[in-house]
Structures are given as structure tokens and as C-alpha cells.
Amino acid sequence: RENLYGGLYLEHYLSSKIKISLDKIREHYIANRLSYVRQSNQVRLIQFLTQNKVSAIKIKRTLLQYDAELRASLLSEHGVSPVTISPGELPQNLDLLLFGSSTPRGVLGPEQTPFGYHVLEVLEFFPESSFRGLDELYDEISQELYQSHRATLYSQLLDSLALEYSLDTEKRGGA
């Protein structure tokens, strides 16, 4: 219990000392931009998965209507949000559909896999060697900077405790 409270206190102390600004995130992105090049083609999409073909066809028809209210209720009902996919992350037939010879566009499917019927809406296609944008990397860079600052503060805290402890030991030993 003491370890848990001590750990929580330490984390609260360290996190209260760290502020990561948008400017710092931008500076880091610009300074390290070459490390954010895509290594393969990627697709940003919304994926719906159902267990029967009839509901998959209904989803596709709803998406093709381009009605904002219907779309919002469909996204909410299925709890889906956009994801970025690279080759090899989906079943083979979906991989071929997305990363085959032609660039995917629009609403695709329904496609059957062992998991059920998939309906995919391609939002963006990113070619290999393109740069990942700051909007895509914001959380990743923010966490990287936070962890770096946290490690530095933790090290400084340990050094100050070691110095304090060694001073106390010397005082007791010298007395």
C-alpha cells in the first residue's frame, strides 16, 4: 500500500512539473521530420464489421447516401472511428482490396472474412515515402516529450535524494 501511494505521489509530483506546449511539439516535429516518413502505403479508413451480409449492405447504402445525420448515427451505433492501416494489418482479401494495383477510393464491400462482413470507407490514401502529418503524430510526440522530461526530472530527484542521503550519512559518521 505504501509503495502504491508513493508511486502515485511521485507520478503526481513529476506530472505537475511538466508542461508540453504546442510550440514544443511543433519544434520537435520540424527538427525530426525525416523520421516521420511512411515506410509503406497507408490508408485512413472507417471499418464496419457485421455478422450478416444484409446488415453490411444496409451499412454500405447508408454510407453512399452522404447524409450527415444518418452517417453520424451509423458511426455512433457501431462505435467506429477512423484508423490508419498499413499492408498486412487486415485479412488478406481486404489487404488486396486496399493495397492492390489500384488506389482505393470511396465505400468498399461488403467483403467476407472469417470475422464477418466488412464495409470500408476509404477517407485518405497515403503513398509510401510521404510524411506523416503533425495532426497524426501529436499524441505520439507529446508522449515522447513527456517521457523524456519525466526521465530527466526523475533523475534529478534521485540525484538530490542521493546527495541529501550521503550528506546525512557523513554528518552522522563524522559526529
Side-chain angles (χ1 to χ4, degrees), residues 6-20:
L8 288 172
Y9 175 78
L10 177 63
E11 189 58 40
H12 177 72
Y13 171 78
L14 293 174
S15 67
S16 71
K17 302 289 183 192
I18 301 171
K19 302 293 181 233
I20 307 295

Side-chain angles (χ1 to χ4, degrees), residues 122-142:
V122 176
L123 303 173
E124 290 181 86
F125 179 81
F126 304 109
E128 181 178 0
S129 300
S130 63
F131 288 98
R132 294 169 63 200
L134 181 56
D135 59 329
E136 187 180 343
L137 293 163
Y138 180 86
D139 290 338
E140 185 179 321
I141 293 172
S142 175

Side-chain angles (χ1 to χ4, degrees), residues 58-69:
K58 184 179 174 190
I59 290 169
K60 182 174 183 174
R61 285 185 182 149
T62 302
L63 289 172
L64 290 172
Q65 288 180 24
Y66 299 105
D67 181 315
E69 286 182 33

Side-chain angles (χ1 to χ4, degrees), residues 53-143:
K53 192 171 187 173
V54 173
S55 79
I57 291 170
K58 184 179 174 190
I59 290 169
K60 182 174 183 174
R61 285 185 182 149
T62 302
L63 289 172
L64 290 172
Q65 288 180 24
Y66 299 105
D67 181 315
E69 286 182 33
L70 284 174
R71 179 184 183 78
S73 70
L74 187 66
L75 294 172
S76 175
E77 178 185 334
H78 289 273
V80 297
S81 58
V83 293
T84 302
I85 303 291
S86 297
E89 293 181 10
L90 293 174
Q92 187 175 12
N93 59 331
L94 295 178
D95 221 30
L96 288 172
L97 184 66
L98 294 170
F99 301 105
S101 58
S102 63
T103 303
R105 298 189 193 293
V107 180
L108 309 171
E111 284 289 320
Q112 187 176 14
T113 70
F115 305 105
Y117 291 89
H118 299 258
V119 176
L120 311 166
E121 182 177 16
V122 176
L123 303 173
E124 290 181 86
F125 179 81
F126 304 109
E128 181 178 0
S129 300
S130 63
F131 288 98
R132 294 169 63 200
L134 181 56
D135 59 329
E136 187 180 343
L137 293 163
Y138 180 86
D139 290 338
E140 185 179 321
I141 293 172
S142 175
Q143 282 302 305

Side-chain angles (χ1 to χ4, degrees), residues 166-175:
S166 68
L167 288 176
D168 283 349
T169 308
E170 289 172 10
K171 287 178 188 176
R172 281 186 293 220

